[in-house]
Amino acid sequence: MFQIRLARGDIGDAKAGRAKAAMCEACHGLNGVGLRPDVPNIGGESDIYLVAQLTHFRSGERQHEQMSIIAEGLSDEDIENLAAWYSSIQFSVTLPP
Amino acid sequence: MFQIRLARGDIGDAKAGRAKAAMCEACHGLNGVGLRPDVPNIGGESDIYLVAQLTHFRSGERQHEQMSIIAEGLSDEDIENLAAWYSSIQFSVTLPP
């Protein structure tokens, strides 16, 4: 299991992931901010979480009309690179007053 | 479908959600930042996305060891309130250099 074996930041090539993310951009943006309210923000998610979700979409464990099809075409390396890219984005939050 | 019917920001009571989020805090923090690398950041996700995911965990459409059990105990109102709270958190990203 990726989630157990690997520590955050250990996987993938963020530069290759940034290039591959062209295919994600129409919904998630290059910066990982969802462009529609049904699309999650993924910028700054951990690489471990991102690898798990893409792997689950590819295996069918998690289902989504678009993501299930998109993930089918991803290699393990693609998944690790995409996870490296989106997890390399800095993420910060501010609580409402 | 929530995702089609509702516009972002239309649903739930963020204050009630903030109180209910005590049950989410051990993993997601009150501010929605995942406390372990297998836990997603949910602060700043849209209410529509959050309602969809909690509803999918509750129905079994999305599966997760902890979340499937936790979501079982949530009412529609709880889900909408939690979504209102976590979506009310301001979220920003910065690309790596």
Side-chain angles (χ1 to χ4, degrees):
Chain A
M1 296 278 289
F2 278 121
Q3 293 93 317
I4 291 163
R5 186 167 53 84
L6 298 167
R8 183 170 179 156
D10 272 0
I11 58 177
D13 173 338
K15 198 174 159 193
R18 183 181 176 132
K20 189 77 184 171
M23 69 188 288
C24 315
E25 231 179 309
C27 296
H28 291 286
L30 184 65
N31 62 1
V33 178
L35 299 180
R36 298 191 312 268
D38 59 323
V39 175
N41 304 323
I42 59 173
E45 293 292 2
S46 86
D47 48 8
I48 289 170
Y49 178 75
L50 293 167
V51 165
Q53 298 312 306
L54 285 170
T55 304
H56 292 170
F57 281 125
R58 190 175 61 177
S59 71
E61 186 177 331
R62 185 174 174 187
Q63 300 270 344
H64 184 269
E65 198 176 359
Q66 283 88 44
M67 285 305 303
S68 300
I69 296 166
I70 289 164
E72 260 181 27
L74 298 175
S75 67
D76 287 352
E77 194 182 4
D78 292 334
I79 287 177
E80 293 184 13
N81 292 346
L82 286 168
W85 166 245
Y86 279 114
S87 67
S88 73
I89 295 166
Q90 299 282 326
F91 164 89
S92 68
V93 294
T94 312
L95 291 186
Chain B
M1 296 277 290
F2 278 122
Q3 293 94 317
I4 291 163
R5 187 167 52 84
L6 296 168
R8 183 170 180 156
D10 273 0
I11 58 178
D13 172 340
K15 198 173 159 192
R18 183 180 177 132
K20 190 78 184 171
M23 70 188 289
C24 315
E25 229 179 311
C27 296
H28 290 287
L30 184 65
N31 62 1
V33 178
L35 300 180
R36 298 190 314 269
D38 60 323
V39 175
N41 304 323
I42 58 173
E45 293 292 3
S46 86
D47 48 8
I48 289 171
Y49 179 75
L50 292 167
V51 165
Q53 298 312 306
L54 286 170
T55 305
H56 292 170
F57 281 125
R58 190 175 61 177
S59 71
E61 186 177 333
R62 185 174 174 187
Q63 300 270 343
H64 184 268
E65 198 177 358
Q66 282 87 44
M67 285 305 303
S68 300
I69 296 165
I70 290 164
E72 259 180 30
L74 298 175
S75 67
D76 288 352
E77 193 181 5
D78 292 334
I79 288 178
E80 293 184 13
N81 292 346
L82 287 167
W85 165 245
Y86 279 113
S87 68
S88 73
I89 294 167
Q90 298 282 324
F91 156 86
S92 69
V93 295
T94 312
L95 291 185

